[in-house]
Amino acid sequence: MNGADSLCDTLLANDVSVCFANPGTSEMHFVAALDRKPEMRCILGLSEGVVTGAADGYARMTDRPAATLLHTGPGLANGLANLHNARRARIPVINIVGDHASYHLPLDAPLTSDIEGLAGTMSNWVHRISSPEDIVGATEAAYRASLSPPGVATLILPADAAWGDVEVDQPIRLPRPEPHAVNMDSVRGVADAIRDAPGEVGILLSGAAARADSLEIAGAIAAARDVRLFCEMQLPRVERGRGRVALTRIPYPIDAALDLLADIDVLVLAGAPEPVAFFAYPGKPGRLVRKGCKVLTLARHGEDLKGALEALRDELDVRQSLPQSRSPVLSDDIVPFGHLTEDAIAVMVAARLPDNAIVCDEGVTSARRFFELSSGAAPHDYLMNTGGSIGCGIPLATGAAVACPDRKVINLQADGSGMYTVQGLWTQARENLDVITIIFANRAYAVLHAEMRNVGVNGIGENARRMMNLDHPAWDWVSIAKGMGVDAAGAHSCEQFADLFESALRRRGPFLIEAII
């Protein structure tokens, strides 16, 4: 057995059974080892941003890591933008980055680079394998590091470690790391603050606290103690839809966010960091809570979030059977007509969303209304770009579809950010993934037009327009998608969009709708 075989066997023993890959020469022995393991599903991405973004989507839906296979430092660098989003989503990923044989590094061959330095910017844990004998222990450490607490772990695999012979025992299945226990002092402190400030407390939920079972508990607390429930501006995953307890999302526009939190005297964090403005704006605060607001932590990422909510419920003597505010049913009879707009698309998608769908939202400015409407849609999972590094939508939907092959995935995708990782459409076609991609074709970086106004620039000249508009020449997304092997059609009107969306819902496999707005 060589080192690459022992790495594969260790991953498989711990249910890491999907590898999103874009390999090169340094990884050929690992590719050969993967070829000998039919139980490992290997999925090719035509750019490393697709690879890392797909691993993100997969992990968000399974709560376990996929592996990525990347080619030396430049390959890792190409994938860093979506590793940034994965790190901000606080989900597990195991990167395997091939490198030159250890004895070749002093020659400074063209692909030699500081992989540790690159990996450290977007990884919670980095390790360079020193020999074939180091591989099993290092891979086990990477698995544990990816889950305790969940985050990005990066293994650097020199070629000679991969091809070197090694004798190893049967790989062992490691116990899955348990979340840290509930801190009862924190629970009691939060309970006291809720009692002391009725009607002026908010709870910001993320991670496992934003799943339906935890939302039931949070909803009971909110109903009994007049508490408001929030989720992050850029949320990793929330279980949403009719019959579920709905969260209010903190808005991206800073003035709207400040207004939303203006009357909150106590903000309780459950798996989420304190909310801050996405950027600094002249004359406006960076923190979104008002001055004097008390920010308390009930439980952090990596701790038992559901257990902390249960403990808080018990400490407050709240009965789970209390009536709660639940999302209403959104009528599917809503049929906008005429000119196609962003809002019309949001209405039609929310009204016709199938049960148990997965929505991946990188619509940026175009899809903002969808989240509000989706509280009354069919029960679904909702995923977003978490780090602000654009180009995650198509890969995120790809990974989610690999993770959940029996669920319809709908990608709300801005056109500008979609072009960053458009190669993901090819992967969807190759794997026959059940993804509907809706392109909001406004032919502009619309968010940048808004940000120019936010920073106080009201007059936009020719140079600025050329950096923010995408209409000379305009993209033809239908042709692009078909060139990638994905069937596609365009819609100029609400009637055309409704017909295409209904048709896409009835079929299986990837389909793209270019919504020209």
Side-chain angles (χ1 to χ4, degrees):
M1 174 182 292
N2 65 24
D5 284 304
S6 67
L7 199 162
C8 287
D9 288 344
T10 305
L11 291 174
L12 286 168
N14 291 284
D15 289 334
V16 183
S17 57
V18 174
C19 181
F20 297 99
N22 189 287
T25 302
S26 301
E27 297 78 51
M28 286 298 99
H29 284 83
F30 188 63
V31 170
L34 291 169
D35 204 28
R36 292 188 285 270
K37 316 292 177 184
E39 59 270 45
M40 178 71 80
R41 184 176 180 183
C42 300
I43 298 174
L44 178 63
L46 298 184
S47 80
E48 292 85 353
V50 173
V51 169
T52 53
D56 180 1
Y58 178 90
R60 292 200 209 184
M61 295 311 303
T62 62
D63 296 319
R64 66 176 189 267
T68 73
L69 178 58
L70 305 168
H71 181 42
T72 68
L76 171 63
N78 285 341
L80 284 180
N82 276 334
L83 283 179
H84 167 75
N85 292 324
R87 184 174 66 90
R88 287 290 181 172
R90 303 180 291 275
I91 52 90
V93 175
I94 299 174
N95 298 310
I96 299 157
V97 184
D99 197 11
H100 293 302
S102 55
Y103 59 82
H104 196 64
L105 287 173
L107 301 179
D108 194 27
L111 279 170
T112 304
S113 63
D114 178 7
I115 299 178
E116 285 90 344
L118 291 167
T121 61
M122 303 301 175
S123 302
N124 302 68
W125 181 93
V126 180
H127 177 80
R128 175 178 285 273
I129 292 169
S130 60
S131 67
E133 292 75 18
D134 182 36
I135 285 180
V136 170
T139 307
E140 291 176 344
Y143 173 76
R144 286 191 292 265
S146 74
L147 290 167
S148 52
V152 177
T154 298
L155 267 179
I156 303 168
L157 177 64
D160 52 338
W163 73 54
D165 292 333
V166 64
E167 293 186 12
V168 297
D169 297 328
Q170 187 74 15
I172 62 171
R173 184 182 180 88
L174 301 170
R176 186 179 174 95
E178 294 293 329
H180 298 300
V182 176
N183 183 327
M184 288 307 299
D185 288 339
S186 297
V187 170
R188 285 187 283 269
V190 168
D192 288 342
I194 290 174
R195 294 188 191 99
D196 292 343
E200 299 171 342
V201 179
I203 302 179
L204 180 60
L205 303 116
S206 189
R211 307 287 172 84
D213 53 356
S214 294
L215 292 176
E216 287 286 315
I217 302 165
I221 294 169
R225 294 290 180 170
D226 194 15
V227 170
R228 295 165 65 188
L229 302 178
F230 302 104
C231 60
E232 293 176 271
M233 180 188 302
Q234 304 293 113
L235 55 96
R237 176 184 171 189
V238 62
E239 294 184 349
R240 194 158 170 82
R242 58 176 174 257
R244 291 175 171 168
V245 174
L247 303 178
T248 299
R249 183 174 144 211
I250 296 174
Y252 175 92
I254 185 169
D255 292 331
L258 292 169
D259 289 345
L260 179 70
L261 299 175
D263 58 350
I264 296 295
D265 285 343
V266 178
L267 184 65
V268 177
L269 307 178
E274 179 186 335
V276 297
F278 218 78
F279 297 102
Y281 298 100
K284 296 181 180 180
R287 297 181 71 199
L288 296 179
V289 295
R290 67 170 184 77
K291 188 175 181 180
C293 175
K294 186 185 296 185
V295 179
L296 302 176
T297 299
L298 175 67
R300 292 179 171 83
H301 169 61
E303 296 179 346
D304 184 359
L305 297 173
K306 181 182 177 185
L309 288 168
E310 289 173 331
L312 180 60
R313 177 195 64 197
D314 296 342
E315 184 70 21
L316 291 168
D317 196 26
V318 171
R319 290 179 290 109
Q320 184 66 27
S321 58
L322 280 172
Q324 300 170 38
S325 175
R326 296 182 184 275
S327 301
V329 175
L330 185 66
S331 172
D332 60 4
D333 294 330
I334 302 172
V335 185
F337 60 89
H339 179 66
L340 191 59
T341 65
E342 299 165 355
D343 282 357
I345 295 169
V347 168
M348 287 185 280
V349 174
R352 292 161 178 78
L353 200 68
D355 285 341
N356 211 29
I358 301 167
V359 178
C360 298
D361 182 0
E362 198 185 27
V364 195
T365 57
S366 297
R368 281 183 181 164
R369 195 178 173 206
F370 176 82
F371 185 79
E372 174 192 348
L373 294 169
S374 68
S375 67
H380 63 281
D381 283 90
Y382 178 88
L383 286 61
M384 283 193 74
N385 179 326
T386 47
S389 179
I390 65 174
C392 79
I394 293 173
L396 198 68
T398 301
V402 171
C404 304
D406 297 327
R407 300 174 65 177
K408 183 70 81 172
V409 179
I410 297 169
N411 175 202
L412 305 176
Q413 182 63 60
D415 55 356
S417 54
M419 286 298 289
Y420 277 53
T421 47
V422 67
Q423 305 93 329
L425 294 175
W426 180 88
T427 301
Q428 292 177 14
R430 184 186 228 206
E431 301 292 327
N432 194 31
L433 301 178
D434 200 11
V435 180
I436 301 173
T437 302
I438 299 170
I439 300 293
F440 290 86
N442 60 10
R443 296 175 175 144
Y445 288 125
V447 67
L448 296 185
H449 282 271
E451 292 298 345
M452 287 285 276
R453 294 188 293 272
N454 286 340
V455 299
V457 179
N458 294 314
I460 298 178
E462 181 62 17
N463 277 346
R465 276 194 296 272
R466 287 177 60 83
M467 287 186 281
M468 296 187 293
N469 291 351
L470 308 172
D471 54 350
H472 293 295
W475 297 316
D476 181 349
W477 274 92
V478 173
S479 296
I480 292 169
K482 288 183 177 181
M484 295 280 183
V486 173
D487 199 6
H492 290 79
S493 69
C494 291
E495 292 83 356
Q496 287 177 324
F497 181 89
D499 288 345
L500 287 172
F501 189 56
E502 291 284 358
S503 175
L505 289 173
R506 289 193 298 269
R507 59 181 285 171
R508 180 169 179 82
F511 189 83
L512 181 142
I513 302 171
E514 182 178 20
I516 301 162
I517 54 177

